[in-house]
Amino acid sequence: MSIAIERPLRTEEGPNAASQNGMNRYAIEVGAMNVFYGDFCAVRDVSMQAPTNKITAIIGPSGCGKSTVLRCFNRMNDLISSVRIEGKVLFQGQNIYDVSVDPVEVRRRIGMVFQKPNPFPKTIYENVAWGTRINGFKGDMDELVERALRAAALWDEVKDKLQQSALGLSGGQQQRLCIARAIAVEPEIILMDEPASALDPIATLRIEDLMKELSEQYTIIVVTHNMQQAARVSDYTAFFNVDDNRTGYLIEFDDTEKIFTNPSQKSTEDYITGRFG
Amino acid sequence: MALRSQQPVAQRAAGLMPSRAISHKQVKVRQRRGHIWAVIFQLALFSGIIALGALLYNIVNQSFGYVAIINEIDPAELAVDGVPLNELPKDTLTRILETNISKGLMRRYENDMPFTERSRENVHELILERVVEPQVAATWSLADSIFARTRVFEEAKEKYPDSHVYFRSWLTTNFVSKAQSSEPLRAGVRTAIFGSLWVVAITILFSFPIGVGAAIYLEEYAHKERFLNRLIQTNINNLAGVPSIIYGMLGLAIFVRMLEVFTSGSFLDGGGDTTANGRTIISAGLTLGLLILPLIIINGQEAIRAVPHSLRQAGFGLGATHWQVIWHHVLPGAMPGVLTGTILAVSRAIGETAPLIVVGASTFIAVDPNGPFSKFTVLPIQIYQWTSRPQDEFRNLAAAAILVLLILLLSLNASAVLLRNRFNRNQANA
Amino acid sequence: MAGAGQGDTTVPGGGPPLDLRRKPRLAETIIQGFLFLCGAISILTTLGIVLVLGRESLLFFANEEVDLLKFFGGTEWQPAIGRFGIWPLVTATFMASLIAMAVALPMGLCIAIYLSEYAGHRARSILKPILEVLAGIPTVVYGYFALTFMTPLLRVIFGRDLVEIYNTASAGIVIGILVIPLVSSMSEDALSAVPNSLRQASYGLGATRLETAVRIVVPAALSGVAAAFIVAISRAIGETMIVAIAAGAGPNFTFSPFRAAETMTGHIVRISGGDLSYDSIDYNSIFAIGLLLFLITLSLNILSQWIVRRFREEYE
C-alpha cells in the first residue's frame, strides 16, 4: 500500500499548487484508490488524472470496475452502505473523501449521466429546472432551460413540447435531456457511465458529437465498453483489467492515440485488438 | 458380441418397466385421477365463491321483506271528514295530537320547540310515533316474501289478526339519516356513520404520516445491518399479526386510562363533560391507528422499494440532498402504492369491532358526535348490538346496517382504484 | 446559476473559491430524526402491549383469590365465585380454531393449487379479486352470517336438539371461510415461487399435471404452505367478533362442537363490553387472558417467519 501512495502523481506542480493557481490542469486526480464491497476488493490501487476540459475514457473488459471507479469520482458509491473507499480523489486539490466534505456539494459540482436514460417522470421543462431549483437558482428559469437544452442539442426538437412528459421522448432524446439536466446546474465535470450503450447507432453518434462540443467547457469522464467510441471521442484513455480475484486495476493511462496505436502494455494491446474481453 | 451387449439392456427394460399395453392403461388411469382432482380443486374454489354468495344473499334476504305491523290506533280512525291522516293540514294534525296524548307530554313538546315553529311533517311524525304507535309483530325474509307470499299472509292473519302486512325495505334514506332509537321502525344509523367517520379521520391523521414516515425511514435511511433497524423491521412484521383485540386492550390501558386527561378532553375545559371518561373518539381513533400502522408501513415500504433506483441516482447526481430526492422523486413515485395500501388499511379500520368494544364504544347514543372528545358508537358496533338482540326486527336492522357498511367500504375501495388510476395518468402526462 | 452558486460557496473573508465542506443541514437532520421516531413507534407499541398485559396480569395473579396452579389447571371459569381456571376458554378457542382449520386448510390449499397450476391468466385475474373481496369483509359481518345463516343451516342438518343456538361449530366454520383467502393467497405465492424448470422436468418424465402439482410443486413449496397454515391458525385463534356473536356467552368446559362455549377473545369482549370497573378482578383477568392470547399468536407468527426464512436459505 505504502508504495502506491508514494507513487508520483502525473502533475508538474503537485495538487495543492495547482488548486491555488486557480486554473487546474487536472480536474480529478486519483491517488492509490481502493474500493471494497464489504470485504471484497472491487478495484485496487488506481492512480490517474483527468485533465481539465478534455474527454477521458475509461475502457476495459466487463467486471473490471469501470463504473465503480467512475462513481467514486462524485461519491455516488456512498449510496451503497457496504462500499468502502481508501486513498485519495482530489477535485481541484481537495480530497472529496475528506471527512469534512459534503457529498451533496461534490455531486453538485460533478454531474453524472447514467447508462440508461433516467428522466424524472415530470415535464421536459421540469426535468431541466429541478436540479437548479433545489440548488437555489433564482434567475430566469425559462432562459436557463433553453440554454441547457440548446447546449445538449435538444432545443429544436422539444421547444414546442416543454410541458409534455419527458417519458414521451425517444431513448436518444431522453439521454440528451439527461445531459441537459446535468449541465443546467453548471458542474465542473460531467461523468458519463456508458451513456450510449442503450441507444441505437444514430442516437449514439449524436451523443458523441455532443460530448465533443461539451468538452470545450466541461471536463468529461466517460466509461464505455465500446472501444471505437473511446477512440472517436476521447483525448485520454484509461485501460482497466480484472485479475484472478475479480479485482479490477488500472493497466495503463495515456493519450488515446498512444493507447490505440502503441500501447505500452501487452494486455492493452490484446484487448484493443480484440484478443480478449 | 453386439447381441450380448444388447440383451441385458432389453431385459432391464422388460423386467422393471411395465409393458406398453399396461403402461397405456396406467396412463389412462392416472389421467382420469388427474381430471377428478382438477374438478375437486375447482369445486373448492367455487365453494369459496358460493360462501361469498351465501353471505351476501343472507344479508340482502334479511334487509327486505314483509313485516306485520300492529298499530295502537289505526291511522284510518284518525282521518277527519274522510281526509286521510297523511294529507291533513298542520293545524288539524296538532289538534289530533293534543286530543290523543297527555297534557304533560304536549307541554314537553311545546317546550322543546313551539308547535307554531314545527313543520307539518314533524307533527305528522309525532302522531305516528305517539298516537299510532306502530309495533313490529313479525318480519319475513325476502325469499319468503317473494316465493311464499300467500303463506306469509296466512300466517300473519292467523297469528296477528289485528296487524296489517306490508313490504318493507329496512334500508331506506330514513334509516341512513335518522339517529339511533330503541324503536326498530324508527332506528337509524346516522350517529354510527358519523362516529365511524370521526374515528377513521383520527385514525388516518395519526397513522398515515407516521406510517409513511416509518416506511421512508426503513427503506431510505436505515442501514439494514444495524441491529436496531432489523429489530424495528421484525417487530413491525410481528405487530401485523397481533390479534386486533390486543390492540383494544392496549388502547384501554393507555389511551382510556393513562391518558384520560387528554382523551376525555378535560384538559381543555377543566373537566366539563366527564361522562365519557377516556372512552372517546380520539381514544378509538388512536387505537385503530396503532392497529393499522404496521399495514401502512409494510405497504408503504413495498411502494417505496418499487420506485426505480435510477430516479434516486438521477436526483443525487444533480447534487440533491437525500430528503430532496425523497420528497421530489421517491414519494411522488410511491404515492399510488402508498395510497392504495392506506385505503386498504383504512377499510380494515372501518370494519374493526372488537378493539372498539374493549376501548369502550357507547352502547346507546342518539346524539351525533361533535368532536374528538365525544362519546361514540360506530357502524360495526351498531351491527354487533343489533345482532345480539334476540328479536327478528333487530336482525333486519343489523342486515340493513351491514349493507350500509359494505356500500361504504365498496365506495372507498372504488375510490382507491380511481385515485390510483388518475395518479398513474398524471404521472405519465406530467 | 453561477451567481447563486458562488454565493453559496464563497467563505466570508476569502479562501478557496471552491468549498466542499459539510454544512449543517438542520432541516434534514430534524426530518431524519422524525422519521426514525416514526419507525420507533412500532417498538413502543410492542413495549406498550407487553407492559400493559404484563402489569395487569401481575396484578391479577397477585390477587389472593387467584392461584397460578388453578389458573392453568382449573376447568371452571367463574369470576363471580372466584374460580379462575383458564381451560374452558382455551378448549373453546382451540375447538373453534380446529374446526376453522378443517375448513380452511384443505379448501385454501386446493384453491391455491388450482390458481397456481390450473387456472389461466384470465381466470386468475377474475378469481383473485373475488377472494380479496371475501378477505375484505368485516368480521362482524361474518359473525352475523354465522348466527343467522350457518347456525340455522347446522340445526337443519343435525337436528335442533343436538345443535344449540350458540355453538362453536358454526363459529368455527365461518372463521374457516374467513381465513380461506389468507391461506390460498399465501400458499399460492409459495407455489408460484417454485421455479418452472422443476415443473418442466416433471412433465418431461411423463408425469400428469396432478402428479406434477401434488408430488413436485407442493413439496417444493411446502415450507411456504406450512407458514401460511400457521399464520391462518394464529388468525383463527385471535378472531373475535365471529365467536363473540355466534359461539356463546358463558365459559363452558365442553368438547361438543354443537354446544355453546366462550372463547378467550369472546370472553374479553363480553367482559369489557359491560360496565367495567378498573379496579375489579374482572378487569385484571381479561388482561391475563389477553397475555396468554398474545403469547400464543406471537409464537405462532414467529414460527411461521422462521419456517419461511429457513425455506429461503434452502433454495439459495
Side-chain angles (χ1 to χ4, degrees), chain B residues 123-415:
Chain B
V123 180
H124 184 243
E125 229 166 77
L126 282 178
I127 290 181
L128 288 184
E129 192 178 316
R130 289 293 166 182
V131 183
V132 177
E133 276 189 74
Q135 297 284 334
V136 180
T139 70
W140 288 270
S141 68
L142 182 62
D144 283 347
S145 305
I146 294 173
F147 300 113
R149 209 164 149 246
T150 46
R151 213 197 67 216
V152 168
F153 279 101
E154 277 167 20
E155 205 180 305
K157 199 171 270 176
E158 192 182 309
K159 287 191 189 160
Y160 318 100
D162 299 340
S163 70
H164 72 276
V165 178
Y166 72 103
F167 187 86
R168 180 183 168 92
S169 161
W170 290 89
L171 178 65
T172 59
T173 46
N174 260 346
F175 179 71
V176 177
S177 65
K178 282 198 147 184
Q180 160 75 301
S181 160
S182 55
E183 282 295 316
L185 287 177
R186 283 199 307 277
V189 287
R190 191 189 67 213
T191 319
I193 291 176
F194 279 126
S196 278
L197 294 180
W198 267 106
V199 169
V200 156
I202 302 274
T203 303
I204 295 173
L205 281 180
F206 172 75
S207 61
F208 182 73
I210 291 182
V212 176
I216 294 173
Y217 173 75
L218 287 170
E219 284 306 308
E220 295 287 332
Y221 288 100
H223 293 282
K224 298 273 184 318
E225 60 274 12
R226 282 259 289 279
F227 174 74
L228 182 65
N229 297 323
R230 281 220 315 271
L231 183 72
I232 292 178
Q233 186 72 65
T234 322
N235 184 48
I236 287 169
N237 294 342
N238 280 326
L239 278 179
V242 171
S244 58
I245 194 165
I246 302 283
Y247 284 96
M249 306 179 86
L250 178 70
L252 174 64
I254 303 287
F255 299 130
V256 176
R257 283 193 67 185
M258 235 172 87
L259 303 175
E260 187 177 337
V261 187
F262 300 101
T263 53
S264 65
S266 56
F267 73 102
L268 285 178
D269 46 25
D273 172 32
T274 49
T275 54
N277 307 321
R279 298 165 176 251
T280 50
I281 281 176
I282 191 155
S283 295
L286 292 176
T287 304
L288 291 188
L290 285 182
L291 172 72
I292 65 170
L293 201 52
L295 307 181
I296 294 187
I297 295 174
I298 291 170
N299 274 314
Q301 281 185 279
E302 257 168 42
I304 289 170
R305 228 176 285 146
V307 174
H309 215 70
S310 63
L311 276 189
R312 292 187 182 82
Q313 291 190 331
F316 283 120
L318 290 171
T321 64
H322 202 155
W323 178 247
Q324 282 169 329
V325 170
I326 292 169
W327 183 251
H328 292 277
H329 302 301
V330 176
L331 274 186
M335 235 347 126
V338 169
L339 285 182
T340 317
T342 304
I343 289 179
L344 284 180
V346 167
S347 309
R348 163 104 192 263
I350 289 180
E352 272 301 343
T353 322
L356 296 188
I357 296 176
V358 178
V359 167
S362 301
T363 41
F364 185 94
I365 46 171
V367 190
D368 289 344
N370 57 7
F373 304 113
S374 310
K375 292 193 282 186
F376 72 100
T377 186
V378 294
L379 262 178
I381 299 270
Q382 195 69 72
I383 294 167
Y384 171 57
Q385 276 156 10
W386 278 333
T387 306
S388 326
R389 305 277 285 263
Q391 299 96 324
D392 279 345
E393 51 267 33
F394 286 104
R395 301 270 164 85
N396 297 123
L397 283 177
I402 287 174
L403 278 184
V404 173
L405 180 64
L406 290 184
I407 290 168
L408 190 70
L409 289 176
L410 202 68
S411 45
L412 198 68
N413 281 309
S415 69

Side-chain angles (χ1 to χ4, degrees), chain A residues 94 100 102 105 109 137, chain C residues 9 18 20 22-23 25:
Chain A
Q94 295 185 51
S100 68
D102 190 335
E105 284 292 335
R109 309 274 154 193
F137 176 69
Chain C
T9 52
L18 183 68
L20 297 176
R22 210 175 276 275
K23 285 169 211 63
R25 295 181 202 277

Side-chain angles (χ1 to χ4, degrees), chain C residues 37-291:
Chain C
L37 282 183
C38 291
I41 279 190
S42 73
I43 301 263
L44 290 182
T45 309
T46 308
L47 277 181
I49 290 175
V50 171
L51 286 181
V52 164
L53 294 181
R55 178 173 171 273
E56 303 290 340
S57 302
L58 275 182
L59 286 176
F60 172 71
F61 288 119
N63 195 301
E64 55 196 17
E65 285 182 60
V66 184
D67 180 349
L68 201 61
L69 215 66
K70 283 199 177 138
F71 182 78
F72 285 110
T75 57
E76 204 177 352
W77 182 276
Q78 298 287 355
I81 53 169
R83 298 273 172 77
F84 291 99
I86 192 74
W87 277 105
L89 302 176
V90 171
T91 49
T93 300
F94 278 97
M95 213 154 55
S97 306
L98 210 66
I99 296 167
M101 288 308 109
V103 173
L105 299 191
M107 293 263 294
L109 185 59
C110 284
I111 291 175
I113 293 176
Y114 180 78
L115 287 177
S116 148
E117 307 297 312
Y118 287 80
H121 186 73
R122 236 183 90 80
R124 227 190 334 242
S125 67
I126 298 168
L127 295 171
K128 283 185 81 167
I130 294 180
L131 288 172
E132 276 166 31
V133 170
L134 209 52
I137 292 175
T139 55
V140 68
V141 179
Y142 278 99
Y144 181 85
F145 178 64
L147 186 66
T148 62
F149 186 90
M150 196 53 75
T151 302
L153 188 68
L154 288 178
R155 296 187 84 180
V156 167
I157 297 174
F158 295 101
R160 296 184 142 256
D161 306 330
L162 184 64
V163 184
E164 294 182 2
I165 290 183
Y166 298 105
N167 62 76
T168 35
S170 164
I173 293 171
V174 174
I175 294 176
I177 295 174
L178 170 77
V179 295
I180 284 176
L182 181 77
V183 177
S184 69
S185 81
M186 273 185 79
S187 306
E188 197 220 327
D189 286 348
L191 295 178
S192 308
V194 172
N196 248 331
S197 56
L198 272 184
R199 290 187 187 86
Q200 282 158 4
S202 166
Y203 285 131
L205 289 172
T208 64
R209 192 187 274 244
L210 173 73
E211 287 156 353
T212 306
V214 175
R215 304 246 178 103
I216 304 294
V217 180
V218 173
L222 198 59
S223 343
V225 174
F229 285 6
I230 291 168
V231 168
I233 296 172
S234 154
R235 180 77 205 277
I237 289 176
E239 175 44 45
T240 309
M241 287 323 291
I242 298 175
V243 290
I245 290 174
N252 186 3
F253 188 65
T254 173
F255 291 99
S256 163
F258 295 129
R259 297 190 58 191
E262 196 169 48
T263 66
M264 305 199 300
T265 52
H267 185 73
I268 296 173
V269 161
R270 183 168 63 86
I271 295 301
S272 55
D275 266 334
L276 191 58
S277 154
Y278 293 148
D279 298 319
S280 66
I281 190 159
D282 274 357
Y283 178 82
N284 292 334
S285 77
I286 61 170
F287 283 87
I289 301 169
L291 182 63

